[in-house]
Structures are given as structure tokens and as C-alpha cells.
Amino acid sequence: MRQGTSRAYDPVRVGVLQAVAEAGPLRAGEIAERLGALPASITRHVQTLAEAELVRTAPDPADRRAILVEITDAGRAELQRFLEVGDQVFGAVIADWPAEDVITLTRLLDRLITDWAQAGPTQQQRASKRRSGGFGWSRA
């Protein structure tokens, strides 16, 4: 999915914003689990987003060792702008496609999302067990 896209944005940071917008406040570990990312990576992204005042952090009252991450109004506005631009870009890319191709794409993407939700986590666990050393770029 990332092929052909600009690196003007960081997909993990967008994922953090989206996760806390939809279900926040969340612990950093919960965000990592939702995104399938390393907790240390999420911590760094949360720090960057907090410095930009797009999220705020506070100790978790249930466990003072953990922090809760919550989106700010500025973060919500930034996420909304990002999603709007994404919709505009996607719309421009497929603008000349015949309607039946757009319908087929939508149907296949819906199927992929459903199948990924059902089988993806199990397959990821199996793959990570086979690759016990992880990948160099994925280590904290």
C-alpha cells in the first residue's frame, strides 16, 4: 500500500491518532496491539505527537506506571484534514475508472478487510514464530 505514496506523513502516527480518536483514551500498549507495532515505537510516536500537541498523555489512574493517550482538538482536526486529503487524492486517482471497476475494487477491498480481520492476526503470529529473530528494521 505504501508503494507510490509520499512519505510526507508517517502512517504509524496517523494510526495512533486514529486509534485514540476512535477508542481513546488508550494505553500505549493498547495502541501498539491495535496497530501491530512495537510498544517502544508507539512510545516514540506518542512523544512526537504530544510535543506537537496532537495528543495529550496522563497517568492511568488504574496503574500509575502506565500512561493514557488521548487525542486533542488539534489532533482531531489534523486527522480530519489528513483523511479529507486522502479521499481527494484517491478520488482523483480513480476519477477516470469505469463505475464497474470502482464497484469491483470496493467489493474486493471489503473482502480483504473481512478476511484480514479473521485470519490476519493468526497468520502474523505464525510468521513471527517462524522468524524468531524478527526483522532488522522492526527491532526497537
Side-chain angles (χ1 to χ4, degrees), residues 53-75:
E53 299 182 351
L54 300 176
V55 299
R56 68 179 142 264
T57 61
D60 183 343
D63 180 355
R64 295 300 220 175
R65 296 170 295 168
I67 62 161
L68 290 175
V69 182
E70 185 174 17
I71 195 164
T72 63
D73 289 341

Side-chain angles (χ1 to χ4, degrees), residues 66-84:
I67 62 161
L68 290 175
V69 182
E70 185 174 17
I71 195 164
T72 63
D73 289 341
R76 198 173 299 282
E78 184 70 14
L79 178 60
Q80 184 60 38
R81 282 191 295 274
F82 176 81
L83 295 174
E84 287 170 0

Side-chain angles (χ1 to χ4, degrees), residues 13 26 31 33 44 46 76 84 108 123-124 131 133:
R13 288 188 191 142
L26 296 170
I31 297 168
E33 189 175 309
R44 287 191 300 272
V46 166
R76 198 173 299 282
E84 287 170 0
L108 291 172
Q123 294 304 318
Q124 286 176 313
R131 177 93 175 133

Side-chain angles (χ1 to χ4, degrees), residues 3-4 12-13 19 40 44 46-48 63 67 101 117 127 132 134-135:
Q3 186 176 6
V12 177
R13 288 188 191 142
R44 287 191 300 272
V46 166
Q47 288 171 342
T48 300
D63 180 355
I67 62 161
D101 287 355
S132 62
F135 295 98

Side-chain angles (χ1 to χ4, degrees), residues 27-39:
R27 289 181 177 188
E30 292 172 314
I31 297 168
E33 189 175 309
R34 285 173 180 262
L35 300 180
L38 296 170

